[in-house]
Amino acid sequence: MTRPQAPLSYRDIKQIVLERIQNGTWPPDSFLPNEAELSDQFSSTRTTVNRALRELAEEGYLERRRKAGTRVLAAPVRQARFAIPLVREEVEQAGAAYRYALVARRVIPAPTWLSGRLDLTPNQRVLHLECMHYADNAPFQYEVRWIVADTIPEALKADFTDIGPNEWLVQRVPLTNLELSFTATKADATIAQFLETTAGEPVFLAERTTWLKAAPVTLARMYFAPGYRMTTRI
Amino acid sequence: MTRPQAPLSYRDIKQIVLERIQNGTWPPDSFLPNEAELSDQFSSTRTTVNRALRELAEEGYLERRRKAGTRVLAAPVRQARFAIPLVREEVEQAGAAYRYALVARRVIPAPTWLSGRLDLTPNQRVLHLECMHYADNAPFQYEVRWIVADTIPEALKADFTDIGPNEWLVQRVPLTNLELSFTATKADATIAQFLETTAGEPVFLAERTTWLKAAPVTLARMYFAPGYRMTTRI
DNA sequence: TAGTGGTCTAGACCACCCG
DNA sequence: GGGTGGTCTAGACCACTAT
């Protein structure tokens, strides 16, 4: 005896489809029925089925192509999403007190390696900053940053004694392109001093380059104190 | 003189909204008009506006709450998405030849630290594997892995000489929960030997823990050869 | 309680692209 | 050429929550 069903939501449908992928009803590389047929099966509309399948595709479980149909991916392209928080928020969220300090600030002609990196003309002026971020007064992050003066002239007037350049930039420079990379590196004498560790120790380095449309804005190197982990859950 | 407009797509609307945020029409912390009003402005339907705003919210630009409305976020929570490829794919995509080698394989009672980590009962059996992944015959990644025998009994019968445990698992164990973390660590003698570097050198370590529903499946430590960078663009 | 976003329906036209 | 997903419309009911 069947009862009248409450209509399935797109979330329900996502769940059902995921289960069918898991239990082998739709094995890897196989094709799902088309949206029209699925809407029939689920007593739903194509719009709702579409949203479910679209999201599953975006999450890396399915591949959809017009005319070809919807295929189950063999090795789901799992994706990790990392929030890119401000250091302040990262520290405060860990329940620690955040403190910021400007270590050095000077305007210099861009060194050649930086010109190459950001596609600057030779000797274009950049603002060079060094900063420290503390969590409960323990070193958390040592930041070295170059800001292209021509792209962000206001930066030359900011003194960055109270607010870090990242927070400053985020508030003023709206939407930029961004490249992030992570690597492990060896602390040199300076880094070691600021992070209160020993030269040669491994440190986690995040490097961030941003552009405003095509104009280079800044390159930042963020060295994290030993023990730092970047973690995500899916 | 105005012309009849082609209807705006949700992509057009996203673009327009982003521009208005950038140029200060809707400054940070301000509220957008509600969906009904925006659909009027754009000569569109609420459905279309809803999709545009929903996606912008998901991308971290807006915050939406029923009754309260849609607010522009002061510091857009930028997110990075990293694909989590199979090592094989990562190597091949870089245009190098991939080679895999099994280094060690044994069944052991779980060491206490692992029992704690994966919430195992004392001495539960695990399959312990060590593997090497090469790119053009240069060391690329040294992998150390523990697989919980009770969760994946078939793993005890697999010999892992031709195919790495990650590929093997991905093909058999469907959809798992996953925790990923990244850190910098110091190569010990073993790691250094496999990665053809010197003990004490910094290496990039990715640690991956997976569960099948609530059952722990595996813990993997992947040590990357010096110079490795994980990069993403937004 | 009333206003806002969240979602579903039913239908339509269209872009893409496989065969 | 024709089948598939991509998207838009017009309308409706509902869930949440600020006030």
Side-chain angles (χ1 to χ4, degrees):
Chain A
M1 165 171 129
T2 60
R3 312 166 160 268
Q5 307 172 11
L8 295 174
S9 72
Y10 79 96
R11 290 168 190 277
D12 298 330
I13 294 179
K14 281 179 73 170
Q15 195 50 48
I16 294 172
V17 171
L18 268 182
E19 277 163 14
R20 292 196 186 170
I21 292 174
Q22 289 187 47
N23 70 20
T25 308
W26 293 320
D29 281 330
S30 69
F31 282 83
L32 269 59
N34 68 29
E35 294 188 346
E37 192 168 330
L38 285 175
S39 355
D40 274 358
Q41 282 187 27
F42 294 132
S43 309
S44 165
T45 49
R46 196 162 80 81
T47 312
T48 301
V49 170
N50 179 277
R51 177 158 181 194
L53 298 188
R54 183 175 10 108
E55 293 195 358
L56 286 173
E58 198 176 326
E59 289 163 23
Y61 297 110
L62 301 174
E63 185 191 53
R64 319 191 74 204
R65 284 212 314 279
R66 283 153 149 132
K67 164 70 182 179
T70 299
R71 197 163 57 86
V72 178
L73 287 180
V77 181
R78 306 223 49 172
Q79 303 168 339
R81 291 174 88 157
F82 292 92
I84 310 176
L86 298 171
V87 204
R88 169 195 299 284
E89 286 165 5
E90 197 171 357
V91 168
E92 287 174 351
Q93 206 152 36
Y98 172 76
R99 189 165 66 79
Y100 161 78
L102 178 65
V103 173
R105 178 192 189 286
R106 51 206 173 103
V107 178
I108 55 170
T112 50
W113 67 267
L114 185 65
S115 301
R117 189 69 180 279
L118 296 181
D119 199 21
L120 308 177
T121 59
N123 292 325
Q124 210 173 327
R125 284 196 314 164
V126 294
L127 177 60
H128 178 245
L129 299 168
E130 293 171 58
C131 322
M132 274 301 297
H133 306 270
Y134 297 90
D136 282 342
N137 278 323
F140 181 80
Q141 182 193 104
Y142 170 59
E143 173 182 358
V144 184
R145 182 183 287 265
W146 295 263
I147 301 177
V148 180
D150 287 340
T151 312
I152 314 287
E154 317 90 271
L156 294 175
K157 291 173 196 143
D159 69 359
F160 298 109
T161 49
D162 295 328
I163 182 177
N166 194 21
E167 270 184 86
W168 188 91
L169 281 167
V170 162
Q171 284 177 16
R172 272 166 201 73
V173 184
L175 301 163
T176 58
N177 299 317
L178 195 159
E179 186 181 284
L180 258 184
S181 77
F182 303 98
T183 189
T185 189
K186 203 187 282 198
D188 65 19
T190 310
I191 296 168
Q193 204 164 29
F194 280 113
L195 295 181
E196 292 175 16
T197 179
T198 316
E201 282 297 294
V203 292
F204 189 85
L205 166 61
E207 200 172 86
R208 176 177 175 150
T209 316
T210 60
W211 292 265
L212 184 54
K213 321 234 171 182
V217 171
T218 185
L219 169 66
R221 294 209 171 117
M222 291 153 289
Y223 300 90
F224 289 85
Y228 179 77
R229 274 179 175 251
M230 195 174 69
T231 298
T232 192
R233 240 166 207 287
I234 308 185
Chain B
M1 160 172 132
T2 60
R3 313 168 160 269
Q5 309 171 9
L8 294 174
S9 72
Y10 79 95
R11 290 167 190 278
D12 298 330
I13 294 179
K14 279 179 74 169
Q15 194 52 47
I16 294 172
V17 171
L18 268 182
E19 278 163 14
R20 292 196 185 170
I21 292 174
Q22 289 188 48
N23 71 20
T25 307
W26 293 321
D29 281 329
S30 69
F31 281 84
L32 270 57
N34 68 30
E35 294 188 346
E37 191 169 331
L38 285 174
S39 355
D40 274 358
Q41 282 188 28
F42 294 132
S43 309
S44 166
T45 48
R46 195 163 81 82
T47 312
T48 301
V49 170
N50 179 277
R51 177 157 181 194
L53 298 188
R54 181 176 10 107
E55 292 194 359
L56 287 174
E58 198 176 327
E59 289 162 24
Y61 297 110
L62 300 174
E63 185 192 52
R64 320 191 74 205
R65 285 214 312 281
R66 284 152 148 132
K67 164 72 178 177
T70 299
R71 197 163 56 87
V72 178
L73 286 179
V77 180
R78 306 225 49 173
Q79 303 168 338
R81 291 174 89 155
F82 293 91
I84 310 176
L86 298 171
V87 204
R88 168 196 299 286
E89 286 165 5
E90 198 172 358
V91 168
E92 286 173 351
Q93 206 153 36
Y98 172 76
R99 189 165 67 78
Y100 162 78
L102 178 65
V103 173
R105 178 193 190 286
R106 54 209 171 101
V107 179
I108 55 170
T112 50
W113 67 266
L114 185 64
S115 301
R117 188 70 178 278
L118 296 181
D119 199 21
L120 308 177
T121 59
N123 292 325
Q124 211 173 327
R125 284 196 314 164
V126 295
L127 177 60
H128 178 246
L129 299 168
E130 293 172 58
C131 322
M132 274 299 298
H133 305 270
Y134 297 90
D136 282 342
N137 278 322
F140 181 80
Q141 181 192 105
Y142 171 59
E143 174 182 357
V144 184
R145 182 183 287 266
W146 294 264
I147 301 177
V148 180
D150 288 340
T151 312
I152 315 286
E154 318 90 271
L156 293 176
K157 291 173 194 143
D159 70 359
F160 299 108
T161 49
D162 295 327
I163 182 176
N166 194 21
E167 270 184 87
W168 187 91
L169 282 167
V170 162
Q171 284 176 16
R172 273 166 199 75
V173 185
L175 301 163
T176 58
N177 299 317
L178 196 160
E179 186 182 281
L180 258 182
S181 77
F182 303 99
T183 189
T185 189
K186 203 187 284 197
D188 65 19
T190 310
I191 296 168
Q193 203 164 28
F194 280 112
L195 295 182
E196 291 174 17
T197 181
T198 315
E201 283 297 294
V203 293
F204 189 85
L205 165 60
E207 200 172 85
R208 177 179 175 150
T209 315
T210 59
W211 292 265
L212 185 55
K213 320 234 173 185
V217 171
T218 185
L219 169 66
R221 293 207 172 119
M222 292 154 287
Y223 300 89
F224 288 84
Y228 178 77
R229 273 178 177 252
M230 195 174 68
T231 299
T232 192
R233 241 166 206 289
I234 309 185

